[in-house]
Amino acid sequence: MSSRRKFLLVFCFIVLDMFLVIGFLVIMDATMLNDLRNEVNALSKLDITKDRYNRRIKSRGNYAIVEKAIKEYLDEYALGLQEVFAIMNDEQLTKLLSYDNYIEDGPEFKKSLTYLNVTREDFNEKIDKLIDDLDEENISNHINSKISDPYYVNLYKELMFDDTMKEEFSDTKNLLEKTKKSVNNIFDVSTEVFNFLILNNGSWTVEDGEIKFLTADLYNYYTTLIGKL
């Protein structure tokens, strides 16, 4: 076999190997991208008010960095959201204006007022952060410290801002803004009720499972305050 023929055969084998390697890499890349998209699609079906997003990373390489960034952001957000809901569902908050609390903490309501002040501050700090974290710029910036390659940065943004996720973010933000207003109204009204009862100490009592006032005017004012809830 001539040297030229040998050279051509070696060259052909090299070219063939290159195509095989390139084909393998292309297929592997497409597979990892598909794994990432499938996992993000699965995440979008979770309930952010009660689920966690710290699931096993399914993709590899730089796709895994994108997947981890998405899961980190969503999981941190879910935990913050669940903390806010825990405050709202706290038994102490729901029973502040109850017969039992009037007996236990009245007539000065020191524990109740302290609880309201501390809880209000904690609640508003947490819910304001949640609302702020839903800004598109803040969501986008989360990937910047993870990877700088424009392709993967844009892929992160594409996945985080697809129609389903954007709708979820929008609905959550609207819910949080309404929730903030509603819960702060509870804080305000409860504080107003306690201050009213403290001011009129001696003009009310609790018996037979209800609060009773010495005059109809005091009772009417009390029911007006309660009606603000």
Side-chain angles (χ1 to χ4, degrees), residues 162-223:
D162 72 2
D163 291 341
T164 301
M165 297 289 272
K166 284 183 72 173
E167 183 178 0
E168 181 74 23
F169 290 146
S170 178
D171 290 345
T172 301
K173 188 171 186 178
N174 289 335
L175 173 63
L176 288 175
E177 289 172 344
K178 292 177 182 177
T179 298
K180 179 182 178 181
K181 183 178 180 180
S182 175
V183 175
N184 273 286
N185 181 63
I186 294 174
F187 292 143
D188 292 339
V189 172
S190 298
T191 301
E192 197 172 354
V193 168
F194 290 137
N195 287 334
F196 167 73
L197 294 177
I198 293 169
L199 182 63
N200 291 282
N201 182 19
S203 297
W204 59 272
T205 185
V206 282
E207 56 184 55
D208 301 327
E210 61 181 351
I211 185 169
K212 298 181 179 180
F213 293 87
L214 292 180
T215 69
D217 287 342
L218 290 175
Y219 174 76
N220 290 336
Y221 189 79
Y222 173 80
T223 55

Side-chain angles (χ1 to χ4, degrees), residues 38-51:
N38 288 338
E39 184 65 6
V40 172
N41 183 58
L43 294 178
S44 68
K45 296 176 182 178
L46 297 178
D47 185 344
I48 200 169
T49 64
K50 60 182 180 182
D51 291 327

Side-chain angles (χ1 to χ4, degrees), residues 102-110 194 197-199 201-202 204:
Y102 287 168
I103 293 177
E104 179 182 341
D105 199 31
E108 296 183 350
F109 299 103
K110 290 182 179 180
F194 290 137
L197 294 177
I198 293 169
L199 182 63
N201 182 19
W204 59 272

Side-chain angles (χ1 to χ4, degrees), residues 55-74:
R55 295 153 52 119
R56 181 175 65 86
I57 302 299
K58 304 291 181 65
S59 55
R60 290 179 292 169
N62 288 335
Y63 290 107
I65 295 176
V66 174
E67 181 182 345
K68 186 177 180 181
I70 292 173
K71 288 180 175 177
E72 283 179 347
Y73 184 88
L74 294 176

Side-chain angles (χ1 to χ4, degrees), residues 47-103:
D47 185 344
I48 200 169
T49 64
K50 60 182 180 182
D51 291 327
R52 293 290 304 273
Y53 293 80
N54 55 341
R55 295 153 52 119
R56 181 175 65 86
I57 302 299
K58 304 291 181 65
S59 55
R60 290 179 292 169
N62 288 335
Y63 290 107
I65 295 176
V66 174
E67 181 182 345
K68 186 177 180 181
I70 292 173
K71 288 180 175 177
E72 283 179 347
Y73 184 88
L74 294 176
D75 193 59
E76 181 180 343
Y77 199 88
L79 287 176
L81 190 64
Q82 290 160 25
E83 286 178 1
V84 165
F85 287 155
I87 293 174
M88 293 165 52
N89 295 322
D90 182 19
E91 185 176 5
Q92 188 172 352
L93 177 61
T94 59
K95 292 186 175 181
L96 277 177
L97 302 181
S98 68
Y99 174 82
D100 290 339
N101 191 55
Y102 287 168
I103 293 177

